[in-house]
Amino acid sequence: MSLSDVFDSIEVQPWSEVVELHEALLQEQLDYVVARSDFYKAKFAGLRTSVSSLADLANLPFTSKDEIRESLLARPPLGLHVAADLGDVVQIQSSSGTTGMPTFVAATAQDIDTWNSMGARVFYANGFRPKDWVMHAYAMGRGFVGGLVNIEHLQHLGVCVIPLGAESGTERLLGAIDHLKPVAMCATPSMVSHLGSMAPEVLGKPARELSIRKISVGGEPGGGIPAIRQQMEELWGADVRDMMGGADFGSTYWAECDEKDGMHVCSQGALHVELIDPDTLESLPIAEGVSGELVYTTLRRQATPLIRYRMGDIVTVTAMDCSCGRTGYKIKAHGRADDMLIVRGVNVFPAAIKDVVMQFVPDTTGYLKIDLDFAGHSTYEALNMRVEISNTSKKSAKDLALLLEGAIRDKLTVKVVVNIVPEGAIERPGAQKEKLLERVSKA
């Protein structure tokens, strides 16, 4: 394979050489965090000397998102875990999650370069090339890392980005595609499917007659699911490839290549990846057929390094090599260990919706059900939900529903349809964990 077929030569480097590089970078990163991060100085007290190689990483405890949130609250603005001088921070992003306070992710100029290198590898593997015109249709609002940061990745690759974003709406996005004729698009699978299905109504012609021939999808499950991929490819007459990442490490670092049978690791020299059993937390070998939870350790991070960070992604290793020539192994993602929903391209957690409803007690009892009348966890329709009205409320059911719909829309940027039900209509959880989601048949 020639180097012109990948963005970065490290993608075709023998894996043994990548491991050797990671061995050296890990020691430098651990020395850095113990010296400069109060969070890790305390967390790894007495443990640093127990890690002399990648194989010893299991001697260190995991880092969780809850710990990072607590760190942010303990020492605003960037937490106890920050390791760079605040004056060296050039960008602050926010995770797309909506449970509780957002997780703020800081970056120095060097961190941005590291992120962009990973992201450019991803989009190149997905088929994008320098000078391509690319419609960016991911959500841009609320500091979502998939918005601005993906644009920076694309610019690093050398494409022409059209950053309209999901918030522009169906008509404007389709109109711009029709007028500007970009060859590529990046968006969530649900957005791609929605735009494709709406093209005949908005433009008077099917999406396959438009200019888009390359589509990179991420941010939610779907791109790697054959039936969903087939639907998108038939709608657009385009090649659709999956990618994956997360806000905590700079947006995206897994990508499908021409083979489209799993996502290559694209974070060589930036992240070390482990696989663990999510139940026992024991380390697992990265080998074909092995399934587990991904755990990440930064190797070059200055502002907010993370060591053995659990993202919650459950994956299966599908191959250790590939005919494309990339030496990074491939995975298939099964989803996150949480219950996040994606509504019109916006991430929302049931607990965040519950939080809004609780603000209307005593007019509501606080009990609710979110009715999932769609497959998976993603929809482009409004989210249907039932909320109990309290027997003591003086408001009408109609007025309360409108108040709730407006509050959820304003706080979470999600459209919902609230059906008010009488007090006692929703089963109480008792000693069991409250289940906010309920699968129902579409009316």
Side-chain angles (χ1 to χ4, degrees):
M1 181 178 192
S2 68
L3 295 188
S4 61
D5 294 321
V6 295
F7 180 79
D8 192 326
S9 62
I10 199 171
E11 297 176 76
V12 294
Q13 195 170 332
W15 194 251
S16 60
E17 295 180 12
V18 174
V19 172
E20 186 178 348
L21 172 64
H22 284 199
E23 291 280 10
L25 291 174
L26 174 66
Q27 299 307 314
E28 293 175 9
Q29 183 81 114
L30 291 178
D31 287 342
Y32 178 80
V33 300
V34 169
R36 298 187 61 93
S37 168
D38 288 343
F39 173 82
Y40 281 114
K41 191 179 299 182
K43 190 176 181 69
F44 294 164
L47 296 174
R48 171 64 187 95
T49 56
S50 69
V51 182
S52 58
S53 69
L54 293 169
D56 298 329
L57 261 178
N59 293 334
L60 298 177
F62 297 109
T63 303
S64 71
K65 188 173 286 288
D66 284 343
E67 285 181 295
I68 297 304
R69 287 199 178 103
E70 290 170 5
S71 168
L72 287 164
L73 290 170
R75 185 187 292 168
L78 296 178
L80 293 164
H81 60 289
V82 70
D85 294 334
L86 297 189
D88 291 330
V89 172
V90 300
Q91 188 177 111
I92 299 173
Q93 287 289 335
S94 171
S95 64
S96 59
T98 54
T99 51
M101 67 171 291
T103 301
F104 294 107
V105 183
T108 65
Q110 178 181 301
D111 294 335
I112 295 291
D113 287 342
T114 301
W115 293 358
N116 285 342
S117 292
M118 292 190 292
R121 295 172 199 168
V122 164
F123 284 112
Y124 196 98
N126 275 179
F128 292 13
R129 294 294 180 266
K131 301 186 185 299
D132 281 352
W133 284 26
V134 179
M135 175 59 69
H136 181 284
Y138 281 110
M140 293 287 291
R142 298 181 182 270
F144 172 47
V145 76
L148 172 64
V149 177
N150 271 345
I151 290 171
E152 292 173 330
H153 297 342
L154 290 164
Q155 290 174 326
H156 189 70
L157 173 56
V159 308
C160 169
V161 189
I162 307 166
L164 287 189
E167 295 88 347
S168 296
T170 303
E171 292 187 6
R172 188 175 179 197
L173 280 166
L174 286 171
I177 290 171
D178 191 30
H179 179 79
L180 294 172
K181 297 180 170 43
V183 72
M185 175 168 62
C186 58
T188 62
S190 59
M191 174 62 82
V192 170
S193 296
H194 172 72
L195 291 174
S197 64
M198 291 298 293
E201 178 181 330
V202 174
L203 300 176
K205 55 186 170 185
R208 63 180 174 272
E209 293 183 8
L210 299 174
S211 57
I212 300 293
R213 291 297 172 264
K214 310 172 185 180
I215 300 176
S216 170
V217 295
E220 66 186 40
I225 299 173
I228 297 176
R229 189 205 302 272
Q230 181 180 351
Q231 178 207 35
M232 291 186 287
E233 291 187 332
E234 289 177 353
L235 278 170
W236 287 92
D239 179 68
V240 175
R241 302 187 195 180
D242 203 9
M243 58 93 140
M244 186 179 80
D248 299 288
F249 299 105
S251 189
T252 181
Y253 30 88
W254 298 92
E256 286 186 320
C257 65
D258 294 354
E259 300 301 316
K260 299 197 294 189
D261 59 355
M263 293 179 288
H264 283 281
V265 59
C266 295
S267 58
Q268 297 93 322
L271 299 174
H272 180 69
V273 183
E274 297 175 80
L275 204 59
I276 65 167
D277 183 308
D279 297 319
T280 67
L281 305 185
E282 293 295 318
S283 296
L284 298 172
I286 293 180
E288 187 170 344
V290 177
S291 297
E293 178 186 338
L294 294 172
V295 175
Y296 296 94
T297 293
T298 57
L299 297 173
R300 297 182 187 269
R301 189 76 158 268
Q302 290 184 327
T304 47
L306 295 169
I307 310 298
R308 303 203 78 206
Y309 187 76
R310 295 182 64 187
M311 289 274 287
D313 293 309
I314 306 300
V315 306
T316 297
V317 179
T318 59
M320 298 303 293
D321 54 17
C322 184
S323 61
C324 79
R326 290 176 175 83
T327 56
Y329 54 89
K330 294 189 284 190
I331 63 167
K332 177 179 176 58
H334 303 296
R336 291 253 170 116
D338 53 36
D339 55 1
M340 182 181 74
L341 301 173
I342 301 110
V343 183
R344 297 189 175 188
V346 177
N347 295 352
V348 62
F349 284 85
I353 295 176
K354 171 85 171 180
D355 181 56
V356 176
V357 171
M358 290 300 294
Q359 294 173 26
F360 286 83
V361 172
D363 286 310
T364 78
T365 64
Y367 288 99
L368 66 111
K369 285 287 185 182
I370 299 170
D371 293 326
L372 305 183
D373 56 358
F374 51 88
H377 286 260
S378 178
T379 181
Y380 207 81
E381 302 297 324
L383 204 59
N384 290 305
M385 55 186 292
R386 289 168 281 148
V387 178
E388 283 188 3
I389 188 170
S390 170
N391 289 335
T392 60
S393 177
K394 304 299 182 183
K395 290 185 172 63
S396 69
K398 181 179 179 180
D399 288 343
L400 182 57
L402 288 173
L403 285 170
L404 288 164
E405 289 169 0
I408 293 169
R409 181 182 64 248
D410 291 343
K411 184 171 183 180
L412 304 177
T413 325
V414 167
K415 183 177 181 181
V416 299
V417 174
V418 174
N419 297 298
I420 299 298
V421 297
E423 183 170 334
I426 294 175
E427 182 180 357
R428 301 304 191 251
Q432 302 300 314
K433 181 179 179 181
E434 184 176 16
K435 295 181 179 180
L436 301 179
L437 304 179
E438 185 166 311
R439 292 284 174 187
V440 299
S441 300
K442 195 171 183 67

